[in-house]
Amino acid sequence: QVQLVESGGGLVQTGTSLRLSCAASGGTVSSYAMGWFRQAPGKEREFVGAISPSSGRTYYAESAKGRFTISRDNAKNTVYLQMNSLKPEDTAVYYCAAGNIGYLSRYYDAYEYDYWGQGTQVTVSS
């Protein structure tokens, strides 16, 4: 059973940066597709980005491209989401997830992920 714990959220101003961490136990992050999702109040959970197992290739939603970067530290068994140039519309609870996903096209689908963290709140003030 993989357990995921997110941290690093907080209240920041527009244009600043945050780095979220997702620490895993019970499994290795390099063995799973690791995704980041977010959910704003009254909205559905949406894909932010993901990193593939082994190769570490990354994929991003259009809203995240150019501003967000996903990385992985295998020694710490942790995945990161670096968020730059934050905007008020980035305000949400951010979740990391792990899954055995065989196809790139499915990385975007929350239902493909088997394990989820508890989430961390990110609030961007204008």
Side-chain angles (χ1 to χ4, degrees):
Q1 184 80 3
V2 178
Q3 293 184 325
L4 304 172
V5 179
E6 302 98 333
S7 60
L11 172 63
V12 296
Q13 293 185 334
T14 297
T16 60
S17 299
L18 271 179
R19 189 179 78 160
L20 305 184
S21 300
C22 173
S25 59
T28 56
V29 295
S30 59
S31 298
Y32 293 90
M34 299 296 298
W36 284 96
F37 291 78
R38 66 186 183 186
Q39 189 166 18
K43 295 187 177 182
E44 293 187 355
R45 191 168 297 190
E46 67 171 351
F47 174 78
V48 175
I51 184 166
S52 66
S54 62
S55 71
R57 187 175 175 183
T58 53
Y59 310 91
Y60 300 96
E62 285 299 323
S63 60
K65 286 181 181 178
R67 298 191 300 128
F68 294 2
T69 303
I70 296 173
S71 61
R72 185 176 68 201
D73 186 330
N74 293 338
K76 295 183 178 180
N77 209 27
T78 299
V79 174
Y80 302 97
L81 178 64
Q82 177 68 43
M83 304 186 294
N84 299 329
S85 302
L86 284 163
K87 305 173 183 180
E89 50 264 45
D90 294 317
T91 295
V93 177
Y94 283 72
Y95 299 89
C96 72
N100 289 300
I101 304 172
Y103 299 97
L104 167 60
S105 61
R106 296 179 180 174
Y107 278 24
Y108 304 86
D109 186 349
Y111 289 101
E112 293 290 333
Y113 292 82
D114 303 302
Y115 307 102
W116 291 82
Q118 83 289 350
T120 186
Q121 176 71 47
V122 172
T123 303
V124 184
S125 64
S126 57

